Amino acid sequence: MKKVLVTGATSGIGYELTKALCAKGHRVVATGRNENQLAKLQQQTGCHTIAADLGNADETLEMFHMAHQALDGLDVLINNAGMNSRKCPIDEFTLEEFDAQYAVNLRAPALLSREALKVMKPNKSGHIINIVSTVAKRANETMSVYTAMKQGFAGFSAILMKEAQPHGIKVSSLFPGGTDTNFREAERPEYMHPASVAQTIALLLELPDDVVMHEMTFRPPVELE
Ligand SMILES: NC(=O)c1ccc[n+]([C@@H]2O[C@H](COP(=O)([O-])OP(=O)(O)OC[C@H]3O[C@@H](n4cnc5c(N)ncnc54)[C@H](OP(=O)(O)O)[C@@H]3O)[C@@H](O)[C@H]2O)c1
């Protein structure tokens, strides 16, 4: 049994991941803004829930400390929450869109990783799993702001690995490809099902202690890159 904090648990990958981890007997704190979804998830899985807006740094930190207290420790942090306001060319994005993307896709997981390191270091164990995206390996027109944040997150996560691993803490950067969730405006049934992505992520908690998965890229069969 591991004590796990999952962000972005109210929808898509995070929702399915919380269900999968609870079914395997892990103790999970699930977080997101949508309180109805959190209540539904709590009812379905028995997980503990905390509503928080990761766009707000103070709320993010408060949520982390409440989760740490509720779990009485922390073995695994899964930075899964993420958003893309819309696709648009560079001469059209707004300051508000840029700041919101920065706060949720880059600042929040960086702050949560920092806090997790502080509590994991004394235990000389722990695992931080960062859900990046294959966009961090690409340069798609109309995806500039989202890609910039995800590439920043990938860089942060790679350095986090180097600073954390000497203290017995594993860091995994995951690069999923297209997944059929609310993240997208239209349904994409040819993409990975969020439950399949969750099942793949949950495997990381079962790796032997002497194996660290630094990076994992996985895609639906319709994607080649
Ligand atoms: N779908 C894809 O094709 C795909 C591909 C590669 C990577 N990813 C990444 O996978 C992760 C999960 O995405 P998904 O596809 O499962 O998307 P999703 O269904 O839209 O879920 C996004 C989650 O992030 C949370 N979130 C967004 N803004 C937030 C905020 N301000 N404060 C707190 N939580 C917030 C949402 O919760 P609330 O709305 O309740 O706050 C929701 O639980 C993201 O990091 C995404 O970038 C997705």
Side-chain angles (χ1 to χ4, degrees), residues 14-76:
Y15 195 94
E16 295 297 333
L17 186 57
T18 301
K19 280 174 28 187
L21 295 176
C22 290
K24 285 173 188 277
H26 298 297
R27 277 182 60 198
V28 179
V29 168
T31 186
R33 288 167 305 179
N34 186 324
E35 298 193 17
N36 289 338
Q37 283 294 98
L38 287 176
K40 194 171 133 195
L41 191 55
Q42 198 270 333
Q43 214 167 33
Q44 277 182 346
T45 66
C47 70
H48 186 94
T49 62
I50 302 172
D53 180 358
L54 299 186
N56 178 310
D58 291 336
E59 255 184 65
T60 302
L61 293 171
E62 193 185 348
M63 178 281 291
F64 179 87
H65 295 295
M66 286 166 71
H68 184 240
Q69 205 164 28
L71 291 167
D72 192 25
L74 182 70
D75 300 313
V76 185

Short mmCIF file of all heavy atoms in Angstrom, two decimals, residues 14-76:
data_model
loop_
_atom_site.label_atom_id
_atom_site.label_comp_id
_atom_site.label_asym_id
_atom_site.label_seq_id
_atom_site.Cartn_x
_atom_site.Cartn_y
_atom_site.Cartn_z
N GLY A 14 -6.61 11.36 -14.73
CA GLY A 14 -6.50 11.40 -13.27
C GLY A 14 -7.66 10.68 -12.58
O GLY A 14 -7.48 10.04 -11.53
N TYR A 15 -8.85 10.81 -13.15
CA TYR A 15 -10.03 10.13 -12.58
C TYR A 15 -9.83 8.62 -12.63
O TYR A 15 -10.01 7.91 -11.64
CB TYR A 15 -11.28 10.54 -13.38
CG TYR A 15 -12.59 10.22 -12.69
CD1 TYR A 15 -13.22 11.19 -11.92
CD2 TYR A 15 -13.19 8.98 -12.81
CE1 TYR A 15 -14.42 10.91 -11.28
CE2 TYR A 15 -14.39 8.69 -12.18
CZ TYR A 15 -15.00 9.66 -11.41
OH TYR A 15 -16.19 9.39 -10.76
N GLU A 16 -9.44 8.14 -13.81
CA GLU A 16 -9.23 6.70 -14.00
C GLU A 16 -8.05 6.20 -13.17
O GLU A 16 -8.07 5.08 -12.66
CB GLU A 16 -9.01 6.39 -15.48
CG GLU A 16 -10.21 6.68 -16.37
CD GLU A 16 -11.43 5.82 -16.03
OE1 GLU A 16 -11.25 4.70 -15.50
OE2 GLU A 16 -12.56 6.28 -16.28
N LEU A 17 -7.06 7.05 -13.03
CA LEU A 17 -5.87 6.67 -12.26
C LEU A 17 -6.23 6.50 -10.78
O LEU A 17 -5.78 5.55 -10.13
CB LEU A 17 -4.79 7.76 -12.44
CG LEU A 17 -3.43 7.51 -11.83
CD1 LEU A 17 -2.81 6.21 -12.35
CD2 LEU A 17 -2.51 8.69 -12.16
N THR A 18 -7.04 7.42 -10.27
CA THR A 18 -7.46 7.31 -8.87
C THR A 18 -8.24 6.01 -8.67
O THR A 18 -8.01 5.28 -7.70
CB THR A 18 -8.33 8.54 -8.49
OG1 THR A 18 -7.55 9.71 -8.70
CG2 THR A 18 -8.78 8.47 -7.04
N LYS A 19 -9.13 5.69 -9.61
CA LYS A 19 -9.91 4.45 -9.51
C LYS A 19 -8.96 3.24 -9.53
O LYS A 19 -9.08 2.32 -8.72
CB LYS A 19 -10.90 4.33 -10.68
CG LYS A 19 -12.15 5.17 -10.42
CD LYS A 19 -13.15 5.25 -11.56
CE LYS A 19 -13.27 4.17 -12.54
NZ LYS A 19 -14.18 4.48 -13.67
N ALA A 20 -7.99 3.26 -10.44
CA ALA A 20 -7.07 2.11 -10.58
C ALA A 20 -6.21 1.95 -9.33
O ALA A 20 -6.01 0.82 -8.85
CB ALA A 20 -6.18 2.32 -11.81
N LEU A 21 -5.72 3.05 -8.78
CA LEU A 21 -4.83 2.96 -7.61
C LEU A 21 -5.60 2.53 -6.37
O LEU A 21 -5.10 1.72 -5.57
CB LEU A 21 -4.13 4.31 -7.37
CG LEU A 21 -3.16 4.75 -8.48
CD1 LEU A 21 -2.60 6.13 -8.19
CD2 LEU A 21 -2.01 3.75 -8.63
N CYS A 22 -6.82 3.04 -6.21
CA CYS A 22 -7.64 2.63 -5.05
C CYS A 22 -7.97 1.14 -5.17
O CYS A 22 -7.94 0.42 -4.17
CB CYS A 22 -8.91 3.46 -4.96
SG CYS A 22 -8.61 5.16 -4.46
N ALA A 23 -8.26 0.67 -6.39
CA ALA A 23 -8.60 -0.75 -6.59
C ALA A 23 -7.42 -1.66 -6.23
O ALA A 23 -7.60 -2.80 -5.83
CB ALA A 23 -9.02 -0.99 -8.03
N LYS A 24 -6.20 -1.11 -6.37
CA LYS A 24 -5.00 -1.89 -6.02
C LYS A 24 -4.66 -1.77 -4.53
O LYS A 24 -3.64 -2.27 -4.08
CB LYS A 24 -3.80 -1.41 -6.85
CG LYS A 24 -3.84 -1.87 -8.30
CD LYS A 24 -2.70 -1.21 -9.08
CE LYS A 24 -2.80 -1.48 -10.56
NZ LYS A 24 -2.24 -2.76 -10.96
N GLY A 25 -5.48 -1.03 -3.77
CA GLY A 25 -5.28 -0.96 -2.33
C GLY A 25 -4.42 0.20 -1.86
O GLY A 25 -4.08 0.28 -0.68
N HIS A 26 -4.09 1.11 -2.77
CA HIS A 26 -3.31 2.28 -2.35
C HIS A 26 -4.23 3.30 -1.66
O HIS A 26 -5.43 3.34 -1.94
CB HIS A 26 -2.62 2.93 -3.55
CG HIS A 26 -1.64 2.01 -4.22
ND1 HIS A 26 -0.53 1.54 -3.58
CD2 HIS A 26 -1.63 1.46 -5.46
CE1 HIS A 26 0.15 0.74 -4.41
NE2 HIS A 26 -0.51 0.68 -5.55
N ARG A 27 -3.66 4.12 -0.77
CA ARG A 27 -4.43 5.21 -0.15
C ARG A 27 -4.18 6.47 -0.98
O ARG A 27 -3.04 6.88 -1.14
CB ARG A 27 -3.96 5.45 1.29
CG ARG A 27 -4.64 4.49 2.26
CD ARG A 27 -4.20 4.77 3.67
NE ARG A 27 -4.54 6.11 4.10
CZ ARG A 27 -3.97 6.71 5.15
NH1 ARG A 27 -3.04 6.10 5.84
NH2 ARG A 27 -4.34 7.93 5.50
N VAL A 28 -5.28 7.05 -1.50
CA VAL A 28 -5.13 8.14 -2.46
C VAL A 28 -5.82 9.41 -1.97
O VAL A 28 -6.97 9.36 -1.51
CB VAL A 28 -5.72 7.74 -3.84
CG1 VAL A 28 -5.60 8.88 -4.84
CG2 VAL A 28 -5.04 6.48 -4.37
N VAL A 29 -5.13 10.54 -2.09
CA VAL A 29 -5.78 11.84 -2.00
C VAL A 29 -5.92 12.35 -3.43
O VAL A 29 -4.93 12.42 -4.17
CB VAL A 29 -4.98 12.84 -1.14
CG1 VAL A 29 -5.54 14.25 -1.32
CG2 VAL A 29 -5.03 12.46 0.33
N ALA A 30 -7.15 12.66 -3.81
CA ALA A 30 -7.45 13.12 -5.18
C ALA A 30 -7.82 14.59 -5.11
O ALA A 30 -8.59 15.00 -4.25
CB ALA A 30 -8.61 12.31 -5.74
N THR A 31 -7.28 15.36 -6.05
CA THR A 31 -7.58 16.80 -6.03
C THR A 31 -7.93 17.34 -7.41
O THR A 31 -7.55 16.76 -8.44
CB THR A 31 -6.42 17.59 -5.37
OG1 THR A 31 -6.81 18.95 -5.25
CG2 THR A 31 -5.15 17.51 -6.18
N GLY A 32 -8.66 18.45 -7.42
CA GLY A 32 -9.12 19.12 -8.63
C GLY A 32 -10.04 20.24 -8.15
O GLY A 32 -10.21 20.41 -6.94
N ARG A 33 -10.63 20.98 -9.08
CA ARG A 33 -11.54 22.04 -8.64
C ARG A 33 -12.99 21.59 -8.56
O ARG A 33 -13.76 22.09 -7.75
CB ARG A 33 -11.47 23.23 -9.62
CG ARG A 33 -10.20 24.02 -9.54
CD ARG A 33 -10.09 24.96 -10.72
NE ARG A 33 -10.21 24.21 -11.97
CZ ARG A 33 -10.18 24.74 -13.18
NH1 ARG A 33 -10.07 26.02 -13.33
NH2 ARG A 33 -10.28 23.98 -14.25
N ASN A 34 -13.39 20.64 -9.39
CA ASN A 34 -14.79 20.26 -9.53
C ASN A 34 -15.26 19.40 -8.35
O ASN A 34 -14.96 18.21 -8.25
CB ASN A 34 -14.96 19.50 -10.85
CG ASN A 34 -16.40 19.20 -11.16
OD1 ASN A 34 -17.20 18.93 -10.26
ND2 ASN A 34 -16.74 19.24 -12.44
N GLU A 35 -15.99 20.05 -7.44
CA GLU A 35 -16.36 19.37 -6.19
C GLU A 35 -17.36 18.24 -6.43
O GLU A 35 -17.34 17.24 -5.71
CB GLU A 35 -16.88 20.38 -5.18
CG GLU A 35 -15.77 21.39 -4.84
CD GLU A 35 -16.06 22.24 -3.62
OE1 GLU A 35 -16.95 21.88 -2.82
OE2 GLU A 35 -15.40 23.28 -3.46
N ASN A 36 -18.23 18.38 -7.44
CA ASN A 36 -19.19 17.29 -7.73
C ASN A 36 -18.44 16.04 -8.17
O ASN A 36 -18.76 14.93 -7.75
CB ASN A 36 -20.16 17.70 -8.84
CG ASN A 36 -21.14 18.74 -8.36
OD1 ASN A 36 -21.36 18.87 -7.15
ND2 ASN A 36 -21.70 19.50 -9.28
N GLN A 37 -17.45 16.24 -9.02
CA GLN A 37 -16.66 15.10 -9.51
C GLN A 37 -15.85 14.47 -8.36
O GLN A 37 -15.70 13.25 -8.30
CB GLN A 37 -15.71 15.54 -10.63
CG GLN A 37 -16.38 15.74 -11.96
CD GLN A 37 -16.92 14.42 -12.52
OE1 GLN A 37 -18.10 14.13 -12.38
NE2 GLN A 37 -16.05 13.63 -13.12
N LEU A 38 -15.34 15.33 -7.48
CA LEU A 38 -14.58 14.80 -6.34
C LEU A 38 -15.49 13.95 -5.44
O LEU A 38 -15.09 12.88 -4.98
CB LEU A 38 -13.95 15.94 -5.52
CG LEU A 38 -12.77 16.67 -6.17
CD1 LEU A 38 -12.31 17.83 -5.29
CD2 LEU A 38 -11.59 15.72 -6.42
N ALA A 39 -16.73 14.44 -5.23
CA ALA A 39 -17.66 13.69 -4.38
C ALA A 39 -17.99 12.33 -5.01
O ALA A 39 -18.05 11.30 -4.34
CB ALA A 39 -18.94 14.52 -4.18
N LYS A 40 -18.18 12.34 -6.34
CA LYS A 40 -18.48 11.10 -7.07
C LYS A 40 -17.31 10.11 -6.96
O LYS A 40 -17.49 8.92 -6.69
CB LYS A 40 -18.73 11.46 -8.55
CG LYS A 40 -19.37 10.38 -9.38
CD LYS A 40 -19.76 10.96 -10.74
CE LYS A 40 -19.31 10.05 -11.85
NZ LYS A 40 -19.32 10.65 -13.17
N LEU A 41 -16.12 10.63 -7.10
CA LEU A 41 -14.92 9.80 -7.04
C LEU A 41 -14.74 9.23 -5.64
O LEU A 41 -14.40 8.05 -5.46
CB LEU A 41 -13.71 10.66 -7.43
CG LEU A 41 -12.37 9.98 -7.69
CD1 LEU A 41 -12.49 8.91 -8.75
CD2 LEU A 41 -11.33 11.02 -8.11
N GLN A 42 -15.00 10.07 -4.65
CA GLN A 42 -14.87 9.63 -3.25
C GLN A 42 -15.86 8.49 -2.98
O GLN A 42 -15.50 7.48 -2.36
CB GLN A 42 -15.13 10.83 -2.33
CG GLN A 42 -14.63 10.66 -0.91
CD GLN A 42 -15.66 10.04 0.01
OE1 GLN A 42 -16.86 10.18 -0.25
NE2 GLN A 42 -15.22 9.35 1.03
N GLN A 43 -17.08 8.64 -3.51
CA GLN A 43 -18.11 7.63 -3.31
C GLN A 43 -17.73 6.31 -4.01
O GLN A 43 -17.92 5.23 -3.47
CB GLN A 43 -19.42 8.15 -3.88
CG GLN A 43 -20.65 7.69 -3.12
CD GLN A 43 -21.86 8.50 -3.54
OE1 GLN A 43 -21.97 8.91 -4.71
NE2 GLN A 43 -22.76 8.73 -2.63
N GLN A 44 -17.17 6.45 -5.21
CA GLN A 44 -16.82 5.25 -6.00
C GLN A 44 -15.62 4.49 -5.45
O GLN A 44 -15.53 3.28 -5.59
CB GLN A 44 -16.47 5.66 -7.45
CG GLN A 44 -17.66 5.85 -8.34
CD GLN A 44 -17.23 6.21 -9.77
OE1 GLN A 44 -16.09 6.57 -10.01
NE2 GLN A 44 -18.16 6.12 -10.69
N THR A 45 -14.67 5.25 -4.88
CA THR A 45 -13.36 4.62 -4.57
C THR A 45 -12.98 4.63 -3.10
O THR A 45 -12.08 3.91 -2.69
CB THR A 45 -12.22 5.35 -5.31
OG1 THR A 45 -12.12 6.68 -4.78
CG2 THR A 45 -12.48 5.42 -6.81
N GLY A 46 -13.61 5.52 -2.30
CA GLY A 46 -13.20 5.66 -0.90
C GLY A 46 -11.95 6.52 -0.74
O GLY A 46 -11.39 6.61 0.35
N CYS A 47 -11.53 7.18 -1.82
CA CYS A 47 -10.34 8.04 -1.71
C CYS A 47 -10.69 9.27 -0.88
O CYS A 47 -11.85 9.60 -0.69
CB CYS A 47 -9.85 8.48 -3.10
SG CYS A 47 -10.97 9.64 -3.93
N HIS A 48 -9.66 9.95 -0.40
CA HIS A 48 -9.84 11.22 0.29
C HIS A 48 -9.77 12.32 -0.78
O HIS A 48 -8.97 12.19 -1.71
CB HIS A 48 -8.71 11.39 1.32
CG HIS A 48 -8.86 12.58 2.20
ND1 HIS A 48 -9.47 12.53 3.43
CD2 HIS A 48 -8.50 13.87 2.03
CE1 HIS A 48 -9.47 13.74 3.97
NE2 HIS A 48 -8.88 14.57 3.14
N THR A 49 -10.59 13.36 -0.67
CA THR A 49 -10.55 14.41 -1.71
C THR A 49 -10.30 15.78 -1.10
O THR A 49 -10.73 16.05 0.03
CB THR A 49 -11.86 14.45 -2.51
OG1 THR A 49 -12.92 14.79 -1.61
CG2 THR A 49 -12.17 13.13 -3.20
N ILE A 50 -9.62 16.62 -1.85
CA ILE A 50 -9.39 18.02 -1.45
C ILE A 50 -9.59 18.88 -2.69
O ILE A 50 -8.91 18.68 -3.71
CB ILE A 50 -7.96 18.23 -0.91
CG1 ILE A 50 -7.68 17.31 0.29
CG2 ILE A 50 -7.74 19.70 -0.52
CD1 ILE A 50 -6.23 17.32 0.77
N ALA A 51 -10.53 19.83 -2.60
CA ALA A 51 -10.74 20.74 -3.74
C ALA A 51 -9.71 21.86 -3.69
O ALA A 51 -9.48 22.44 -2.61
CB ALA A 51 -12.15 21.32 -3.69
N ALA A 52 -9.07 22.14 -4.80
CA ALA A 52 -8.09 23.23 -4.84
C ALA A 52 -7.90 23.69 -6.28
O ALA A 52 -7.98 22.89 -7.21
CB ALA A 52 -6.75 22.77 -4.27
N ASP A 53 -7.63 24.99 -6.43
CA ASP A 53 -7.32 25.57 -7.74
C ASP A 53 -5.81 25.68 -7.87
O ASP A 53 -5.18 26.49 -7.17
CB ASP A 53 -7.99 26.95 -7.85
CG ASP A 53 -7.73 27.62 -9.20
OD1 ASP A 53 -7.00 27.02 -10.03
OD2 ASP A 53 -8.24 28.72 -9.41
N LEU A 54 -5.23 24.90 -8.74
CA LEU A 54 -3.77 24.92 -8.91
C LEU A 54 -3.30 26.19 -9.63
O LEU A 54 -2.10 26.42 -9.74
CB LEU A 54 -3.29 23.68 -9.65
CG LEU A 54 -3.57 22.33 -8.99
CD1 LEU A 54 -2.90 21.21 -9.77
CD2 LEU A 54 -3.10 22.30 -7.54
N GLY A 55 -4.24 26.99 -10.09
CA GLY A 55 -3.89 28.28 -10.67
C GLY A 55 -3.50 29.28 -9.58
O GLY A 55 -2.95 30.33 -9.87
N ASN A 56 -3.79 28.91 -8.33
CA ASN A 56 -3.49 29.77 -7.19
C ASN A 56 -2.37 29.09 -6.36
O ASN A 56 -2.56 27.98 -5.86
CB ASN A 56 -4.78 29.92 -6.37
CG ASN A 56 -4.59 30.75 -5.13
OD1 ASN A 56 -3.66 30.52 -4.34
ND2 ASN A 56 -5.46 31.71 -4.93
N ALA A 57 -1.23 29.77 -6.25
CA ALA A 57 -0.06 29.14 -5.61
C ALA A 57 -0.31 28.84 -4.13
O ALA A 57 0.09 27.78 -3.63
CB ALA A 57 1.17 30.04 -5.77
N ASP A 58 -0.98 29.76 -3.42
CA ASP A 58 -1.23 29.53 -1.99
C ASP A 58 -2.14 28.33 -1.79
O ASP A 58 -1.91 27.48 -0.93
CB ASP A 58 -1.89 30.77 -1.35
CG ASP A 58 -0.92 31.94 -1.27
OD1 ASP A 58 0.31 31.68 -1.26
OD2 ASP A 58 -1.38 33.09 -1.25
N GLU A 59 -3.20 28.24 -2.62
CA GLU A 59 -4.12 27.10 -2.53
C GLU A 59 -3.40 25.79 -2.83
O GLU A 59 -3.69 24.75 -2.26
CB GLU A 59 -5.26 27.27 -3.54
CG GLU A 59 -6.56 27.68 -2.90
CD GLU A 59 -7.70 27.75 -3.92
OE1 GLU A 59 -8.09 26.73 -4.48
OE2 GLU A 59 -8.20 28.87 -4.12
N THR A 60 -2.48 25.86 -3.79
CA THR A 60 -1.72 24.66 -4.19
C THR A 60 -0.91 24.14 -3.00
O THR A 60 -0.93 22.94 -2.70
CB THR A 60 -0.79 25.02 -5.37
OG1 THR A 60 -1.58 25.53 -6.43
CG2 THR A 60 0.02 23.83 -5.83
N LEU A 61 -0.23 25.06 -2.33
CA LEU A 61 0.61 24.66 -1.19
C LEU A 61 -0.24 24.18 -0.02
O LEU A 61 0.09 23.18 0.63
CB LEU A 61 1.51 25.83 -0.76
CG LEU A 61 2.56 26.21 -1.80
CD1 LEU A 61 3.26 27.50 -1.42
CD2 LEU A 61 3.57 25.08 -1.99
N GLU A 62 -1.36 24.86 0.20
CA GLU A 62 -2.25 24.47 1.30
C GLU A 62 -2.80 23.05 1.03
O GLU A 62 -2.87 22.21 1.93
CB GLU A 62 -3.39 25.49 1.40
CG GLU A 62 -4.19 25.37 2.67
CD GLU A 62 -5.39 26.32 2.70
OE1 GLU A 62 -5.46 27.22 1.82
OE2 GLU A 62 -6.24 26.14 3.55
N MET A 63 -3.18 22.81 -0.22
CA MET A 63 -3.68 21.49 -0.59
C MET A 63 -2.62 20.42 -0.32
O MET A 63 -2.91 19.36 0.22
CB MET A 63 -4.08 21.50 -2.08
CG MET A 63 -4.59 20.19 -2.63
SD MET A 63 -3.32 18.99 -3.05
CE MET A 63 -2.53 19.77 -4.45
N PHE A 64 -1.37 20.72 -0.68
CA PHE A 64 -0.30 19.72 -0.47
C PHE A 64 -0.20 19.38 1.02
O PHE A 64 -0.13 18.20 1.39
CB PHE A 64 1.06 20.25 -0.97
CG PHE A 64 2.15 19.24 -0.73
CD1 PHE A 64 2.41 18.25 -1.68
CD2 PHE A 64 2.86 19.22 0.46
CE1 PHE A 64 3.38 17.28 -1.43
CE2 PHE A 64 3.83 18.26 0.71
CZ PHE A 64 4.09 17.29 -0.24
N HIS A 65 -0.20 20.38 1.87
CA HIS A 65 0.00 20.12 3.29
C HIS A 65 -1.21 19.41 3.89
O HIS A 65 -1.05 18.54 4.76
CB HIS A 65 0.39 21.41 4.01
CG HIS A 65 1.74 21.89 3.52
ND1 HIS A 65 2.90 21.17 3.73
CD2 HIS A 65 2.09 22.95 2.75
CE1 HIS A 65 3.93 21.79 3.13
NE2 HIS A 65 3.45 22.87 2.53
N MET A 66 -2.42 19.71 3.39
CA MET A 66 -3.61 18.98 3.85
C MET A 66 -3.52 17.52 3.42
O MET A 66 -3.88 16.60 4.16
CB MET A 66 -4.88 19.62 3.27
CG MET A 66 -5.24 20.95 3.94
SD MET A 66 -6.47 21.88 2.99
CE MET A 66 -7.91 20.88 3.27
N ALA A 67 -3.05 17.29 2.20
CA ALA A 67 -2.94 15.91 1.69
C ALA A 67 -1.91 15.13 2.49
O ALA A 67 -2.14 13.97 2.88
CB ALA A 67 -2.54 15.94 0.21
N HIS A 68 -0.79 15.78 2.77
CA HIS A 68 0.28 15.13 3.55
C HIS A 68 -0.24 14.73 4.91
O HIS A 68 0.04 13.62 5.41
CB HIS A 68 1.47 16.10 3.65
CG HIS A 68 2.65 15.51 4.34
ND1 HIS A 68 3.19 16.03 5.49
CD2 HIS A 68 3.40 14.42 4.05
CE1 HIS A 68 4.22 15.30 5.86
NE2 HIS A 68 4.37 14.31 5.01
N GLN A 69 -1.03 15.62 5.50
CA GLN A 69 -1.60 15.35 6.82
C GLN A 69 -2.63 14.21 6.75
O GLN A 69 -2.61 13.30 7.56
CB GLN A 69 -2.27 16.61 7.34
CG GLN A 69 -2.36 16.69 8.83
CD GLN A 69 -2.69 18.11 9.28
OE1 GLN A 69 -3.32 18.88 8.55
NE2 GLN A 69 -2.26 18.46 10.48
N ALA A 70 -3.49 14.28 5.74
CA ALA A 70 -4.56 13.26 5.61
C ALA A 70 -3.96 11.87 5.39
O ALA A 70 -4.49 10.87 5.89
CB ALA A 70 -5.48 13.63 4.45
N LEU A 71 -2.86 11.81 4.65
CA LEU A 71 -2.22 10.52 4.36
C LEU A 71 -1.26 10.09 5.47
O LEU A 71 -0.80 8.95 5.48
CB LEU A 71 -1.45 10.59 3.04
CG LEU A 71 -2.26 10.73 1.75
CD1 LEU A 71 -1.37 11.12 0.58
CD2 LEU A 71 -3.00 9.41 1.45
N ASP A 72 -0.94 11.07 6.34
CA ASP A 72 0.09 10.82 7.36
C ASP A 72 1.41 10.40 6.69
O ASP A 72 2.03 9.40 7.08
CB ASP A 72 -0.40 9.75 8.36
CG ASP A 72 0.51 9.69 9.59
OD1 ASP A 72 1.16 10.70 9.89
OD2 ASP A 72 0.58 8.61 10.23
N GLY A 73 1.79 11.16 5.68
CA GLY A 73 3.02 10.87 4.92
C GLY A 73 2.74 10.99 3.44
O GLY A 73 1.63 11.35 3.03
N LEU A 74 3.74 10.72 2.62
CA LEU A 74 3.54 10.74 1.17
C LEU A 74 4.60 9.85 0.51
O LEU A 74 5.79 10.06 0.69
CB LEU A 74 3.67 12.17 0.60
CG LEU A 74 3.42 12.29 -0.90
CD1 LEU A 74 1.95 12.07 -1.24
CD2 LEU A 74 3.86 13.66 -1.43
N ASP A 75 4.14 8.84 -0.22
CA ASP A 75 5.07 7.97 -0.96
C ASP A 75 5.17 8.38 -2.42
O ASP A 75 6.23 8.27 -3.03
CB ASP A 75 4.61 6.50 -0.89
CG ASP A 75 4.54 5.99 0.54
OD1 ASP A 75 5.51 6.22 1.29
OD2 ASP A 75 3.52 5.39 0.92
N VAL A 76 4.03 8.79 -3.00
CA VAL A 76 4.00 9.05 -4.45
C VAL A 76 3.21 10.33 -4.72
O VAL A 76 2.08 10.49 -4.25
CB VAL A 76 3.32 7.88 -5.22
CG1 VAL A 76 3.42 8.11 -6.72
CG2 VAL A 76 3.93 6.53 -4.84
#
